[in-house]
Amino acid sequence: MMLMGDKGSVQTQTKVLSQGCWTQVSCPCCVSKQVEPLVLIQLSDSIQPVTKRWLISLIEASKRHGGAALLTHPGEDECGNVIVVSAPRCTLLRATEDLGLCKKYRNEEMASFSYHDRDNFTNVDDMQKFLTLAERQYIVKNELDSLQAQKKQRIPGVPEAPGVLEAWENICQKLVRAGVIKNIFPLHDQKRLNDLGRRWYSKKQIWRQPLDAIQSYFGGTMAFYFSFLQFYTWALVPPAFLGLVLTFLLPGGGGVVKEQAGEGVMEEEDYGLSVSGHMVQAVFSMLWSTVFIEFWKRRSSSLSHRWGTRHLTERFAEPRPGFYGTLGINPVTGRLEPLFPEWQRQLRVGLVSLPLVGLFLGLVVLGMTGFYHGEALVQGFHQDSGSLFSGVLLYMPSIAHTVYTTILKNVYHAVAMQLTKWENHREESSFQNHHITKVLLFTFFNNFAVLFHIAFYKQDLPLLRKKLASLLILNQLVNQCTEVVVPFIVDRFLSAPHKKEQEDDLEMDKLRAQRRLPPFPGLFAEYIELLVKFGYLSLFSCVYPLTAVLLLLNNVTEIPGDAYKICKLFRKPFSAPVSNMGVWQTAFEVLGFVSVMSNCWLLLLSPRVQEFCLEGGISGKNILLVAILVEHVLILVKMILAFMIPDEPDWVRIKREQIEFNSMQALGKQKL
């Protein structure tokens, strides 16, 4: 099949591909004059022609014969090490129904797509308008991943030991392990990418990004990240304004905690004020984090409805690659597939994964305890000797702790990945959620343990303020380097020769150029960075009101920097349709609840509150009881706020219920 639509962009991509070498299809609705290259399979440099022909025939074969029902092109020649893959119209439409995507019906309303009712959906004859580029490429990848051996067989041209396919073994995974397949990645449409870049990072679109174009080209995962980043940047304006007011306009910096010179005593200058900036910032942070998350949920639900991903059916799709079990009939779908009992997975999580995660968290605390103990020993030794050697030793605990945490982090990440694989999750989203949760727990301890130790154990607010300020300023400097300086150098110096080469050679093989790019590392590090900085703001900003200001400045450079890196420095990633941020949204909500406990304790340590308690003769036990009472009241306020702000706007709720009702009616008609 040839996919019609933007003929100019398709011709740009297919310039080096002979149209006559594409798979010939027999289905009349799938025949066209132009094929859109979607995915490239990079094979081993030593691939045997017989192996390549066998793989091509398998990809082209129909579903009932164990194939993927896709279109292939052998690349430069049959002996080359690439296979270019596209998809016929029927395969794309059937996969759209399997994924549970919603598309525009003939009445211009969104509806769950049904293959049997396909003629009533708009643009169903033009796949480039009906499905986004990211959706088409993901469907191809999903069909390749679902390839399974129908029986035990040998892979032609591969040695005996690694070349044996067991019955129902995943073929692509087997070929990767055997060294036959090196990479599978979606292809860039250079014309569309350049247009997107001009609208996105070239114009420095910080406050209003082309989210629909991002979702269409890079997929929902990328679009939700940048939508959240934009929403978060806007939401930082109120706390940043408050921080500036408390720091520069109120007398004494708004009552910000200070340290009396030479005495190490905490104090606040009151200037006749009844409440301090410390207290105002603490209460505001707790309420702001709740309002921010609740309004983001509303924004997320409206985006998922607009992009047709509100009713995904992943749990009914084929199992993810790597899922294993006893071959049997799925009681829900009736398909023959590997089955794995849920109770066994829960046992693995509860009896093995959780204790191992707890062990590593204990090692984090042990490392922090060793750091403080070593620091105390070295400082005592330096005070006794005062030599140059002892002065150098002062840096050893920090260096040793940094090396320790780095090694521990790398080991833990490898263990977390292996544990999640061993838990054997059926759906890809479940696999990702469990893996991310494990890493998030470790990251939370690793980044906030020292700050909690200073705040709750040492009860040293001036030191906490200095530590938080140093972390934010250091992160800002590192971010400016990675988000601005590095892309500038790459664009002006490293990418310039390739740009000149493309201008001089109009017949340059674009497919070969894309293979030279490194794979995209994913958004994990980006979300971790946002989460950690959100934690700084929601948990500890009351001791340093300028936290939101620094985070706002950071996000201003983060958006165009991330956009440039994704468009120019990496291969295009696959992106599964998603309805929200997944477990990351839950992580931000959890931090919002933890912020209540953190800020209540910091309020208790406020010099103004301590002075009030001393003057009133309130005992330490009663102070603690009052703090617990205030904490519960504030948690109740957060819960009331969360209840009062619906997770989805009324119009989205009505549309969702209409889709559910129409789907139920359509199912009833099919039964009749």
Side-chain angles (χ1 to χ4, degrees):
M1 165 207 156
M2 307 309 185
L3 302 177
M4 301 299 291
D6 186 353
K7 296 181 180 178
S9 67
V10 173
Q11 288 173 354
T12 299
Q13 279 212 143
T14 60
K15 187 182 297 181
V16 297
L17 298 177
S18 171
Q19 292 294 318
C21 294
W22 282 100
T23 306
Q24 300 301 310
V25 295
S26 56
C27 178
C29 67
C30 296
V31 176
S32 183
K33 296 179 180 179
Q34 201 68 280
V35 175
E36 179 189 32
L38 294 173
V39 173
L40 186 139
I41 302 176
Q42 185 177 0
L43 306 173
S44 169
D45 294 334
S46 58
I47 185 75
Q48 298 295 319
V50 63
T51 308
K52 182 176 180 179
R53 288 194 296 270
W54 171 81
L55 180 57
I56 287 177
S57 65
L58 188 65
I59 296 173
E60 294 175 344
S62 64
K63 291 290 188 71
R64 66 176 179 270
H65 293 113
L70 297 173
L71 308 176
T72 63
H73 190 289
E76 294 93 342
D77 55 68
E78 292 187 359
C79 297
N81 64 338
V82 299
I83 299 175
V84 185
V85 186
S86 187
R89 176 176 177 269
C90 290
T91 299
L92 292 173
L93 293 179
R94 293 183 189 278
T96 302
E97 181 180 28
D98 293 340
L99 292 173
L101 292 174
C102 292
K103 295 297 176 182
K104 279 190 177 181
Y105 206 62
R106 59 185 175 185
N107 60 1
E108 294 299 318
E109 296 289 345
M110 299 296 287
S112 295
F113 179 75
S114 170
Y115 183 79
H116 296 288
D117 193 29
R118 58 188 180 277
D119 293 333
N120 288 316
F121 285 81
T122 61
N123 298 317
V124 75
D125 293 325
D126 189 342
M127 290 296 100
Q128 289 196 340
K129 293 180 179 179
F130 184 74
L131 292 170
T132 67
L133 176 61
E135 289 169 347
R136 298 194 298 273
Q137 290 175 327
Y138 175 75
I139 288 173
V140 171
K141 177 64 162 57
N142 191 54
E143 297 300 326
L144 291 174
D145 286 340
S146 65
L147 283 173
Q148 292 179 325
Q150 302 294 302
K151 58 183 180 180
K152 185 175 181 179
Q153 58 183 292
R154 287 195 65 253
I155 303 173
V158 178
E160 183 71 27
V164 177
L165 269 171
E166 300 294 336
W168 302 104
E169 186 175 6
N170 186 280
I171 293 175
C172 283
Q173 283 196 333
K174 177 67 175 182
L175 294 178
V176 170
R177 290 195 300 268
V180 175
I181 294 178
K182 294 174 65 175
N183 286 299
I184 302 177
F185 58 90
L187 291 168
H188 273 301
D189 182 329
Q190 204 59 49
K191 182 178 181 295
R192 290 186 59 183
L193 182 63
N194 293 337
D195 291 341
L196 177 60
R198 281 191 292 270
R199 297 171 55 195
W200 195 4
Y201 59 84
S202 297
K203 293 184 179 180
K204 309 299 181 186
Q205 292 281 358
I206 298 170
W207 306 106
R208 187 174 179 82
Q209 300 177 83
L211 294 177
D212 289 334
I214 297 170
Q215 190 271 340
S216 175
Y217 191 84
F218 283 107
T221 303
M222 206 75 71
F224 270 109
Y225 166 73
F226 280 99
S227 177
F228 178 77
L229 185 55
Q230 176 179 287
F231 189 86
Y232 181 34
T233 303
W234 274 105
L236 284 173
V237 174
F241 177 76
L242 177 64
L244 290 172
V245 171
L246 294 178
T247 303
F248 297 111
L249 298 184
L250 289 186
V256 174
V257 179
K258 296 184 178 181
E259 189 174 6
Q260 196 170 21
E263 299 181 10
V265 179
M266 294 179 292
E267 64 171 13
E268 284 182 320
E269 300 180 37
D270 54 28
Y271 291 90
L273 297 174
S274 58
V275 294
S276 68
H278 184 105
M279 301 167 65
V280 171
Q281 184 72 39
V283 175
F284 179 84
S285 295
M286 288 182 280
L287 298 179
W288 172 86
S289 62
T290 302
V291 174
F292 164 66
I293 290 298
E294 293 304 316
F295 274 95
W296 163 249
K297 289 180 183 178
R298 293 170 61 85
R299 172 65 171 163
S300 175
S301 65
S302 63
L303 288 175
S304 64
H305 173 78
R306 190 164 86 198
W307 295 334
T309 58
R310 192 78 172 142
H311 302 271
L312 298 177
T313 56
E314 186 188 16
R315 65 186 184 276
F316 304 133
E318 294 287 340
R320 70 174 186 86
F323 177 74
Y324 59 89
T326 304
L327 202 63
I329 302 296
N330 186 313
V332 177
T333 64
R335 290 193 295 255
L336 185 66
E337 63 180 49
L339 302 178
F340 189 78
E342 184 65 24
W343 64 267
Q344 287 190 25
R345 183 180 300 109
Q346 298 296 340
L347 280 180
R348 292 183 177 189
V349 173
L351 299 182
V352 179
S353 295
L354 287 179
L356 280 177
V357 170
L359 173 64
F360 275 92
L361 297 183
L363 292 176
V364 173
V365 177
L366 181 64
M368 185 182 67
T369 305
F371 164 70
Y372 283 117
H373 182 67
E375 191 176 51
L377 289 177
V378 172
Q379 286 180 348
F381 177 72
H382 180 63
Q383 289 176 356
D384 293 338
S385 64
S387 64
L388 179 62
F389 175 71
S390 63
V392 174
L393 284 180
L394 288 174
Y395 297 95
M396 292 307 298
S398 296
I399 296 174
H401 185 251
T402 301
V403 173
Y404 173 82
T405 54
T406 302
I407 295 175
L408 188 64
K409 179 183 71 173
N410 293 334
V411 172
Y412 178 80
H413 282 192
V415 171
M417 177 58 73
Q418 293 303 317
L419 280 176
T420 310
K421 290 180 179 178
W422 181 67
E423 290 165 4
N424 197 29
H425 299 276
R426 184 185 184 277
E427 293 86 23
E428 183 65 27
S429 61
S430 177
F431 177 88
Q432 293 296 337
N433 288 344
H434 279 78
H435 177 238
I436 291 172
T437 301
K438 293 181 181 67
V439 179
L440 279 180
L441 287 172
F442 182 85
T443 301
F444 181 85
F445 266 73
N446 217 21
N447 285 278
F448 298 117
V450 173
L451 296 176
F452 277 112
H453 182 269
I454 294 173
F456 302 154
Y457 182 75
K458 288 190 171 184
Q459 299 185 12
D460 190 341
L461 294 190
L463 178 60
L464 178 63
R465 185 187 183 204
K466 292 176 182 177
K467 182 69 174 177
L468 184 61
S470 63
L471 284 172
L472 288 168
I473 294 172
L474 179 62
N475 285 337
Q476 182 73 10
L477 293 175
V478 172
N479 179 76
Q480 291 294 320
C481 179
T482 57
E483 305 293 345
V484 179
V485 178
V486 172
F488 176 81
I489 292 174
V490 171
D491 184 51
R492 290 300 178 90
F493 300 103
L494 300 183
S495 298
H498 296 292
K499 291 180 180 178
K500 187 66 168 60
E501 181 183 357
Q502 291 183 26
E503 292 173 0
D504 293 343
D505 185 7
L506 296 178
E507 299 300 323
M508 176 188 176
D509 190 346
K510 302 290 177 58
L511 305 183
R512 191 179 300 278
Q514 292 186 44
R515 284 188 287 171
R516 291 198 295 261
L517 294 173
F520 181 66
L523 294 171
F524 190 89
E526 309 298 336
Y527 272 119
I528 284 289
E529 180 186 352
L530 288 180
L531 188 69
V532 169
K533 291 176 180 177
F534 178 80
Y536 291 155
L537 176 61
S538 60
L539 299 176
F540 305 108
S541 65
C542 63
V543 300
Y544 189 58
L546 291 179
T547 299
V549 178
L550 293 176
L551 295 185
L552 182 60
L553 294 175
N554 174 81
N555 285 9
V556 167
T557 58
E558 183 88 18
I559 293 175
D562 285 350
Y564 177 85
K565 290 189 297 185
I566 290 167
C567 290
K568 293 293 185 181
L569 304 185
F570 300 103
R571 292 178 194 155
K572 188 174 188 286
F574 286 106
S575 179
V578 293
S579 57
N580 51 48
M581 285 167 37
V583 72
W584 296 107
Q585 183 169 297
T586 305
F588 279 93
E589 288 187 83
V590 170
L591 272 185
F593 271 94
V594 175
S595 71
V596 175
M597 295 177 280
S598 173
N599 283 285
C600 282
W601 184 257
L602 292 174
L603 276 175
L604 187 63
L605 296 179
S606 170
R608 183 70 58 84
V609 174
Q610 291 183 345
E611 180 183 351
F612 173 79
C613 294
L614 288 175
E615 291 176 354
I618 304 176
S619 65
K621 181 179 179 181
N622 289 334
I623 293 175
L624 183 61
L625 290 175
V626 170
I628 294 174
L629 177 62
V630 172
E631 174 193 285
H632 282 67
V633 169
L634 288 172
I635 288 178
L636 180 61
V637 171
K638 284 178 70 73
M639 294 176 66
I640 293 174
L641 274 175
F643 175 77
M644 292 175 59
I645 305 174
D647 289 350
E648 55 185 7
D650 285 341
W651 70 270
V652 173
R653 177 184 57 79
I654 293 172
K655 297 293 185 183
R656 173 177 56 79
E657 292 175 353
Q658 286 177 347
I659 292 173
E660 293 172 354
F661 177 74
N662 292 334
S663 298
M664 184 178 63
Q665 280 193 322
L667 182 61
K669 290 179 180 178
Q670 287 184 14
K671 289 181 178 180
L672 293 176

